[in-house]
Amino acid sequence: MSLGKILVVDDDKNICELLRLYLEKEGYNVILSHDGSEAVVKFNALNPDLILLDVMLPGLDGWQVCREIRKKSNVPIIMLTAKGETFDKVLGLELGADDYVVKPFDTKEIIARVKAVLRRIDQNNVPVENKEVVYDKLVVNMTRYELKVDGKVIDTPPKELELLFHLASNPNRVYTRDQLLDEVWGFEYYGDSRTIDVHVKRLREKLEGVSPQWSLKTVWGVGYKFEVTE
């Protein structure tokens, strides 16, 4: 039984075959693409559960592919980049990538990250409980992976939703960036705290000024909290 479909996009056919070998051994169904434009076509046709996406590609590059996919889907995207390439992690995260891995990578690390992302989504698709937090003009529903602001559904990447849900489920509790990386991402993220900053910035753009009863607060020198006024 397949654990899910993974689209691997890389113009290096050796890397593609290596990833296919390891992922199929773990029980995943693997689709390969060596070109950005082809990757978008395959994504639309085959609806994969996760994408491993190289940055430097012929046709559309990885950024453009990520942008195209995010117009219509919140499927998890893990970016792949060669060591030494100019790689703007913040740009990747702002375009909606969930994670990035630097080549040469350890295949075990990629497998662990793929499993963590898919397991988290799988858990959230089980309707055993309505995982939802509700505040004035704000509803975060993790069963449907939906953010409602002032009654309107707002398109939000999965990682932003998970971060907001975690903070809003624990109002007025201050979290350090490392705690959030550990508790929301669920694996070691090599301590890149800018990851959290970018996601909070994007959430603030969606939530700023919506209600006087709550806000995403920066606790200088420490981290962040979802502040609720009594």
Side-chain angles (χ1 to χ4, degrees), residues 2 4-10 16-17 19-20 23-24 28-34 38-39 41-52:
S2 170
K5 277 188 288 191
I6 298 178
L7 174 58
V8 177
V9 189
D10 199 307
C16 281
E17 288 302 330
L19 286 170
R20 170 155 64 187
L23 289 163
E24 286 183 347
Y28 297 104
N29 181 10
V30 179
I31 307 150
L32 299 182
S33 178
H34 309 300
E38 179 196 58
V41 171
K42 285 191 172 180
F43 168 77
N44 289 330
L46 300 168
N47 194 27
D49 300 291
L50 181 140
I51 302 170
L52 291 169

Side-chain angles (χ1 to χ4, degrees), residues 181-193:
L181 283 171
D182 185 49
E183 293 173 27
V184 177
W185 271 251
F187 47 79
E188 179 55 51
Y189 205 78
Y190 299 107
D192 190 349
S193 63

Side-chain angles (χ1 to χ4, degrees), residues 45-112:
L46 300 168
N47 194 27
D49 300 291
L50 181 140
I51 302 170
L52 291 169
L53 177 62
D54 189 28
V55 173
M56 303 300 285
L57 291 167
L60 301 175
D61 67 21
W63 305 128
Q64 292 168 307
V65 173
C66 186
R67 197 180 278 117
E68 284 303 307
I69 287 169
R70 277 291 171 261
K71 285 178 186 174
K72 60 191 82 167
S73 171
N74 281 331
V75 63
I77 297 174
I78 300 176
M79 305 292 286
L80 306 174
T81 178
K83 198 170 187 179
E85 278 178 4
T86 304
F87 181 59
D88 190 335
K89 291 174 273 194
V90 171
L91 173 62
L93 294 164
E94 285 184 341
L95 288 176
D98 295 86
D99 194 6
Y100 62 92
V101 179
V102 178
K103 302 175 192 172
F105 47 73
D106 179 350
T107 44
K108 285 181 191 167
E109 179 194 351
I110 286 200
I111 298 294

